[in-house]
Amino acid sequence: MRKVSTFTAFGLAVEIGDWHRFTGSTIGSYLGLVPSEDSSGSQRRQGGITKTDNTHARRLLVEAAWHHRRPYRRPGAGLQARLDHVAAPVRQRAERGNRRLHQRWLNLDARHKRSTISVVAVARELSGWCWSLAIMED
């Protein structure tokens, strides 16, 4: 994934541990990247993100998510060097994720969302993409 360097990937692996205990939708709540909710009856109010549990992993993902704001064209030299060492299915999934995350930024910008709100939404989705790559079999 774009701007998920070796340091970031290692940090996520250490903080999360066993990736198989999560699903693509539950990893975001473990990292505290989901909105809080105060609901009763038919009324539903969402608040800021919960910020539960893992602060370090959440910070790593938010920092990486900022880089998906720019269009994804060609991988840079650093990313290309990392992609040369992975299997073709993993590389294709990562490229699809990079394109999807940039499209998510565009959609949120079109809806005039604040950039801080957008980055958390992209980080939540990035966590799901990282999860899918972590549990992927070669």
Side-chain angles (χ1 to χ4, degrees), residues 70-85:
R70 292 180 302 120
Y72 180 72
R73 291 184 179 91
R74 272 189 329 193
L79 181 57
Q80 188 61 50
R82 289 196 320 261
L83 287 175
D84 290 341
H85 299 303

PDB file of all heavy atoms in Angstrom, residues 70-85:
ATOM      1  N   ARG A  70      -3.543  12.462  -2.880  1.00  0.00           N
ATOM      2  CA  ARG A  70      -3.064  12.720  -4.240  1.00  0.00           C
ATOM      3  C   ARG A  70      -3.437  11.563  -5.154  1.00  0.00           C
ATOM      4  O   ARG A  70      -3.553  10.428  -4.697  1.00  0.00           O
ATOM      5  CB  ARG A  70      -1.537  12.889  -4.241  1.00  0.00           C
ATOM      6  CG  ARG A  70      -1.079  14.146  -3.536  1.00  0.00           C
ATOM      7  CD  ARG A  70       0.420  14.295  -3.558  1.00  0.00           C
ATOM      8  NE  ARG A  70       1.076  13.137  -2.946  1.00  0.00           N
ATOM      9  CZ  ARG A  70       1.936  12.344  -3.578  1.00  0.00           C
ATOM     10  NH1 ARG A  70       2.269  12.561  -4.815  1.00  0.00           N
ATOM     11  NH2 ARG A  70       2.485  11.329  -2.951  1.00  0.00           N
ATOM     12  N   PRO A  71      -3.586  11.817  -6.443  1.00  0.00           N
ATOM     13  CA  PRO A  71      -3.935  10.733  -7.374  1.00  0.00           C
ATOM     14  C   PRO A  71      -2.878   9.631  -7.402  1.00  0.00           C
ATOM     15  O   PRO A  71      -1.685   9.905  -7.255  1.00  0.00           O
ATOM     16  CB  PRO A  71      -4.011  11.429  -8.732  1.00  0.00           C
ATOM     17  CG  PRO A  71      -4.167  12.868  -8.432  1.00  0.00           C
ATOM     18  CD  PRO A  71      -3.529  13.119  -7.105  1.00  0.00           C
ATOM     19  N   TYR A  72      -3.334   8.419  -7.581  1.00  0.00           N
ATOM     20  CA  TYR A  72      -2.441   7.273  -7.686  1.00  0.00           C
ATOM     21  C   TYR A  72      -2.160   7.037  -9.158  1.00  0.00           C
ATOM     22  O   TYR A  72      -3.042   6.673  -9.918  1.00  0.00           O
ATOM     23  CB  TYR A  72      -3.082   6.043  -7.057  1.00  0.00           C
ATOM     24  CG  TYR A  72      -2.215   4.813  -7.129  1.00  0.00           C
ATOM     25  CD1 TYR A  72      -1.088   4.704  -6.328  1.00  0.00           C
ATOM     26  CD2 TYR A  72      -2.503   3.786  -7.996  1.00  0.00           C
ATOM     27  CE1 TYR A  72      -0.288   3.594  -6.381  1.00  0.00           C
ATOM     28  CE2 TYR A  72      -1.706   2.665  -8.065  1.00  0.00           C
ATOM     29  CZ  TYR A  72      -0.598   2.568  -7.261  1.00  0.00           C
ATOM     30  OH  TYR A  72       0.204   1.477  -7.328  1.00  0.00           O
ATOM     31  N   ARG A  73      -0.945   7.288  -9.554  1.00  0.00           N
ATOM     32  CA  ARG A  73      -0.569   7.090 -10.956  1.00  0.00           C
ATOM     33  C   ARG A  73       0.332   5.870 -11.082  1.00  0.00           C
ATOM     34  O   ARG A  73      -0.135   4.782 -11.312  1.00  0.00           O
ATOM     35  CB  ARG A  73       0.102   8.347 -11.501  1.00  0.00           C
ATOM     36  CG  ARG A  73      -0.858   9.507 -11.632  1.00  0.00           C
ATOM     37  CD  ARG A  73      -0.192  10.722 -12.270  1.00  0.00           C
ATOM     38  NE  ARG A  73      -1.145  11.810 -12.398  1.00  0.00           N
ATOM     39  CZ  ARG A  73      -1.334  12.739 -11.494  1.00  0.00           C
ATOM     40  NH1 ARG A  73      -0.654  12.714 -10.379  1.00  0.00           N
ATOM     41  NH2 ARG A  73      -2.218  13.688 -11.678  1.00  0.00           N
ATOM     42  N   ARG A  74       1.598   6.103 -10.934  1.00  0.00           N
ATOM     43  CA  ARG A  74       2.578   5.022 -10.977  1.00  0.00           C
ATOM     44  C   ARG A  74       3.222   4.906  -9.620  1.00  0.00           C
ATOM     45  O   ARG A  74       3.436   5.914  -8.948  1.00  0.00           O
ATOM     46  CB  ARG A  74       3.685   5.353 -11.984  1.00  0.00           C
ATOM     47  CG  ARG A  74       3.419   4.936 -13.365  1.00  0.00           C
ATOM     48  CD  ARG A  74       4.656   5.125 -14.186  1.00  0.00           C
ATOM     49  NE  ARG A  74       5.452   6.258 -13.674  1.00  0.00           N
ATOM     50  CZ  ARG A  74       6.443   6.807 -14.313  1.00  0.00           C
ATOM     51  NH1 ARG A  74       6.792   6.365 -15.465  1.00  0.00           N
ATOM     52  NH2 ARG A  74       7.119   7.811 -13.793  1.00  0.00           N
ATOM     53  N   PRO A  75       3.602   3.718  -9.215  1.00  0.00           N
ATOM     54  CA  PRO A  75       4.314   3.596  -7.942  1.00  0.00           C
ATOM     55  C   PRO A  75       5.665   4.300  -8.023  1.00  0.00           C
ATOM     56  O   PRO A  75       6.343   4.256  -9.056  1.00  0.00           O
ATOM     57  CB  PRO A  75       4.505   2.093  -7.768  1.00  0.00           C
ATOM     58  CG  PRO A  75       3.572   1.455  -8.721  1.00  0.00           C
ATOM     59  CD  PRO A  75       3.314   2.433  -9.811  1.00  0.00           C
ATOM     60  N   GLY A  76       6.051   4.971  -6.949  1.00  0.00           N
ATOM     61  CA  GLY A  76       7.362   5.597  -6.879  1.00  0.00           C
ATOM     62  C   GLY A  76       8.451   4.543  -6.777  1.00  0.00           C
ATOM     63  O   GLY A  76       8.182   3.337  -6.700  1.00  0.00           O
ATOM     64  N   ALA A  77       9.694   4.982  -6.765  1.00  0.00           N
ATOM     65  CA  ALA A  77      10.825   4.051  -6.753  1.00  0.00           C
ATOM     66  C   ALA A  77      10.815   3.173  -5.497  1.00  0.00           C
ATOM     67  O   ALA A  77      11.050   1.968  -5.579  1.00  0.00           O
ATOM     68  CB  ALA A  77      12.132   4.827  -6.836  1.00  0.00           C
ATOM     69  N   GLY A  78      10.519   3.771  -4.342  1.00  0.00           N
ATOM     70  CA  GLY A  78      10.492   3.001  -3.096  1.00  0.00           C
ATOM     71  C   GLY A  78       9.391   1.959  -3.082  1.00  0.00           C
ATOM     72  O   GLY A  78       9.609   0.803  -2.702  1.00  0.00           O
ATOM     73  N   LEU A  79       8.202   2.359  -3.491  1.00  0.00           N
ATOM     74  CA  LEU A  79       7.075   1.425  -3.529  1.00  0.00           C
ATOM     75  C   LEU A  79       7.307   0.356  -4.587  1.00  0.00           C
ATOM     76  O   LEU A  79       7.018  -0.823  -4.367  1.00  0.00           O
ATOM     77  CB  LEU A  79       5.768   2.168  -3.797  1.00  0.00           C
ATOM     78  CG  LEU A  79       4.494   1.333  -3.845  1.00  0.00           C
ATOM     79  CD1 LEU A  79       4.298   0.545  -2.555  1.00  0.00           C
ATOM     80  CD2 LEU A  79       3.295   2.210  -4.108  1.00  0.00           C
ATOM     81  N   GLN A  80       7.849   0.729  -5.723  1.00  0.00           N
ATOM     82  CA  GLN A  80       8.110  -0.244  -6.774  1.00  0.00           C
ATOM     83  C   GLN A  80       9.120  -1.282  -6.316  1.00  0.00           C
ATOM     84  O   GLN A  80       8.976  -2.470  -6.611  1.00  0.00           O
ATOM     85  CB  GLN A  80       8.614   0.452  -8.046  1.00  0.00           C
ATOM     86  CG  GLN A  80       8.734  -0.481  -9.239  1.00  0.00           C
ATOM     87  CD  GLN A  80       7.407  -1.102  -9.629  1.00  0.00           C
ATOM     88  OE1 GLN A  80       6.410  -0.416  -9.781  1.00  0.00           O
ATOM     89  NE2 GLN A  80       7.381  -2.408  -9.769  1.00  0.00           N
ATOM     90  N   ALA A  81      10.135  -0.852  -5.575  1.00  0.00           N
ATOM     91  CA  ALA A  81      11.125  -1.792  -5.049  1.00  0.00           C
ATOM     92  C   ALA A  81      10.476  -2.789  -4.098  1.00  0.00           C
ATOM     93  O   ALA A  81      10.815  -3.979  -4.113  1.00  0.00           O
ATOM     94  CB  ALA A  81      12.246  -1.041  -4.347  1.00  0.00           C
ATOM     95  N   ARG A  82       9.532  -2.308  -3.274  1.00  0.00           N
ATOM     96  CA  ARG A  82       8.821  -3.229  -2.371  1.00  0.00           C
ATOM     97  C   ARG A  82       7.883  -4.144  -3.134  1.00  0.00           C
ATOM     98  O   ARG A  82       7.747  -5.320  -2.804  1.00  0.00           O
ATOM     99  CB  ARG A  82       8.047  -2.433  -1.316  1.00  0.00           C
ATOM    100  CG  ARG A  82       8.932  -1.767  -0.300  1.00  0.00           C
ATOM    101  CD  ARG A  82       8.186  -1.306   0.943  1.00  0.00           C
ATOM    102  NE  ARG A  82       6.896  -0.719   0.733  1.00  0.00           N
ATOM    103  CZ  ARG A  82       6.644   0.590   0.705  1.00  0.00           C
ATOM    104  NH1 ARG A  82       7.631   1.444   0.846  1.00  0.00           N
ATOM    105  NH2 ARG A  82       5.433   1.038   0.537  1.00  0.00           N
ATOM    106  N   LEU A  83       7.229  -3.618  -4.177  1.00  0.00           N
ATOM    107  CA  LEU A  83       6.287  -4.427  -4.952  1.00  0.00           C
ATOM    108  C   LEU A  83       6.985  -5.525  -5.743  1.00  0.00           C
ATOM    109  O   LEU A  83       6.376  -6.554  -6.043  1.00  0.00           O
ATOM    110  CB  LEU A  83       5.486  -3.537  -5.908  1.00  0.00           C
ATOM    111  CG  LEU A  83       4.432  -2.645  -5.277  1.00  0.00           C
ATOM    112  CD1 LEU A  83       3.819  -1.732  -6.326  1.00  0.00           C
ATOM    113  CD2 LEU A  83       3.354  -3.466  -4.607  1.00  0.00           C
ATOM    114  N   ASP A  84       8.255  -5.325  -6.079  1.00  0.00           N
ATOM    115  CA  ASP A  84       9.000  -6.337  -6.833  1.00  0.00           C
ATOM    116  C   ASP A  84       9.224  -7.611  -6.020  1.00  0.00           C
ATOM    117  O   ASP A  84       9.514  -8.655  -6.583  1.00  0.00           O
ATOM    118  CB  ASP A  84      10.346  -5.773  -7.293  1.00  0.00           C
ATOM    119  CG  ASP A  84      10.181  -4.725  -8.384  1.00  0.00           C
ATOM    120  OD1 ASP A  84       9.105  -4.696  -9.026  1.00  0.00           O
ATOM    121  OD2 ASP A  84      11.123  -3.924  -8.580  1.00  0.00           O
ATOM    122  N   HIS A  85       9.084  -7.530  -4.701  1.00  0.00           N
ATOM    123  CA  HIS A  85       9.342  -8.679  -3.831  1.00  0.00           C
ATOM    124  C   HIS A  85       8.074  -9.400  -3.381  1.00  0.00           C
ATOM    125  O   HIS A  85       8.155 -10.283  -2.538  1.00  0.00           O
ATOM    126  CB  HIS A  85      10.132  -8.245  -2.598  1.00  0.00           C
ATOM    127  CG  HIS A  85      11.464  -7.664  -2.921  1.00  0.00           C
ATOM    128  ND1 HIS A  85      12.425  -8.326  -3.640  1.00  0.00           N
ATOM    129  CD2 HIS A  85      12.004  -6.455  -2.631  1.00  0.00           C
ATOM    130  CE1 HIS A  85      13.488  -7.567  -3.778  1.00  0.00           C
ATOM    131  NE2 HIS A  85      13.260  -6.413  -3.176  1.00  0.00           N
TER     132      HIS A  85
END
